[in-house]
Amino acid sequence: MPLEQVLVLLVAAAGAGWVDAVVGGGGLLQLPAIMMTGIPTVEAMATNKLSSVFGTASAAVAYARSTKVDRQVAFPGAGLAVVSAGLGAWAAAAISAEVLRPVVMVVLLGVAAFVTLRPALGAVPMPHLRTDARVFAAVATAGVGIAFYDGLVGPGTGTFLIIAFTTILGLDFVSASASAKIINVGTNLGALVVFGVQGHLNWALGLGMAVCNVAGAQLGARMALKRGTAFVRIILLCVVVALVARLGWQQFGG
């Protein structure tokens, strides 16, 4: 691979790590960059997961050291996520992404409208929303539904997790992002195991990008913790718009 392509991938990995640490959606940068090199799609997805799992794990540690993680949701959800994301990765070859993209686009547009029209969402914690039923719903939504989606398609997983935790449990954006990172580690691991068993991993490229992804993730986590929920909310909206644009281009213009 030419040196200039390697440098582009390393920069993309650092940017993806930053975005993932703040609000999720780093695959918007990293996965297309890998695919532009001509690497087959499944191998690109596998390499993206290999790089991302290190960055997400490092961001999860940074958040856990500085803010409260919802352990009652994050750890059971992460355990379920390993299995669900693995099943999603296994099913990826059997389900067409073209069928899922319109559905995901509608959901993302709804998320953008919801966050825009409810400026108080995620600004402060709302503990009165928390009930046993809502905790169960959050674990199932994150550890089963969103995790399966991550293995199957991928983009926006962290964003969906944050929205789920703010709306279901009333967490603020920073706490939701901290808990989301732990579950996102589970989704990455589950998909990664399946891709590895199938022989799709490019270890040299993935591990090289992982170093830059970790650096970006550390910077992103520290910025989110320092600047607070208003900063995370702005980045969240930007990522949602970018996700809709990307999926729309893939569906109608690609």
Side-chain angles (χ1 to χ4, degrees):
M1 184 180 294
L3 178 61
E4 56 270 22
Q5 284 191 344
V6 174
L7 293 176
V8 168
L9 290 178
L10 294 179
V11 171
W18 186 91
V19 173
D20 260 338
V22 177
V23 77
L28 280 170
L29 295 174
Q30 190 165 253
L31 184 56
I34 298 172
M35 293 178 69
M36 284 175 61
T37 65
I39 291 175
T41 300
V42 178
E43 184 178 333
M45 292 174 65
T47 304
N48 175 59
K49 289 296 181 190
L50 179 58
S51 172
S52 297
V53 72
F54 287 96
T56 305
S58 71
V61 172
Y63 274 109
R65 287 175 175 173
S66 302
T67 192
K68 183 180 179 180
V69 173
D70 194 325
R71 297 173 182 269
Q72 191 177 3
V73 173
F75 292 126
L80 287 172
V82 173
V83 178
S84 298
L87 291 173
W90 178 77
I95 301 176
S96 172
E98 283 72 16
V99 176
L100 295 173
R101 283 187 196 126
V103 177
V104 177
M105 287 172 61
V106 171
V107 172
L108 284 168
L109 287 171
V111 166
F114 191 68
V115 173
T116 302
L117 296 174
R118 294 192 59 183
L121 178 71
V124 294
M126 294 184 287
H128 63 278
L129 293 180
R130 190 185 189 91
T131 64
D132 290 342
R134 282 177 174 264
V135 169
F136 178 82
V139 171
T141 299
V144 179
I146 298 175
F148 185 83
Y149 165 81
D150 190 28
L152 184 65
V153 182
T157 296
T159 306
F160 286 134
L161 288 170
I162 290 172
I163 292 297
F165 293 152
T166 53
T167 55
I168 298 174
L169 295 176
L171 300 182
D172 65 81
F173 278 133
V174 173
S175 296
S177 188
S179 299
K181 294 299 163 288
I182 294 176
I183 293 181
N184 215 168
V185 172
T187 66
N188 284 334
L189 280 175
L192 191 60
V193 168
V194 172
F195 286 136
V197 170
Q198 293 175 341
H200 295 303
L201 287 175
N202 186 324
W203 287 98
L205 179 59
L207 291 175
M209 293 178 68
V211 175
C212 295
N213 197 280
V214 168
Q218 286 295 305
L219 178 61
R222 291 173 185 178
M223 288 182 69
L225 289 165
K226 181 179 180 179
R227 299 193 179 189
T229 58
F231 172 72
V232 176
R233 183 175 184 273
I234 292 171
I235 302 300
L236 174 68
L237 285 170
C238 291
V239 169
V240 168
V241 170
L243 277 166
V244 172
R246 180 195 171 196
L247 292 171
W249 173 255
Q250 288 178 323
Q251 186 71 20
F252 305 112

